[in-house]
Amino acid sequence: MLLSHSCGMKMVVNRDNRVTVPAALRRALDLRPGDEMEFVLCDGNLLIRPTRQGVVKDRPAETGSQA
């Protein structure tokens, strides 16, 4: 699945200064609660990416709904 900035996904920073990663991106990256993310500021843009040690690729699939 290819998702990029051209998809136009916009999120709002809430009053606790948090943003929610859209479900489509969580599924595409197999992100789960507790996964470690890296924040990089580059030329005025914020890049958010999972760290390699923070995302477990060979974990069993969870049962139930994925939000």
Side-chain angles (χ1 to χ4, degrees):
M1 174 186 287
L2 176 62
L3 296 172
S4 70
H5 67 279
S6 63
C7 293
M9 291 187 183
K10 296 180 182 179
M11 301 306 298
V12 174
V13 177
N14 71 16
R15 71 179 84 198
D16 295 323
N17 291 311
R18 296 176 184 214
V19 294
T20 300
V21 178
L25 294 175
R26 291 194 310 267
R27 284 190 298 269
L29 294 171
D30 191 28
L31 294 178
R32 308 237 182 117
D35 285 346
E36 184 177 275
M37 304 297 290
E38 178 180 26
F39 291 74
V40 179
L41 183 60
C42 182
D43 296 324
N45 294 294
L46 177 61
L47 173 66
I48 305 171
R49 60 185 173 206
T51 61
R52 292 303 105 205
Q53 67 271 19
V55 178
V56 180
K57 290 296 180 189
D58 296 323
R59 60 183 159 203
E62 291 181 4
T63 59
S65 65
Q66 289 185 357

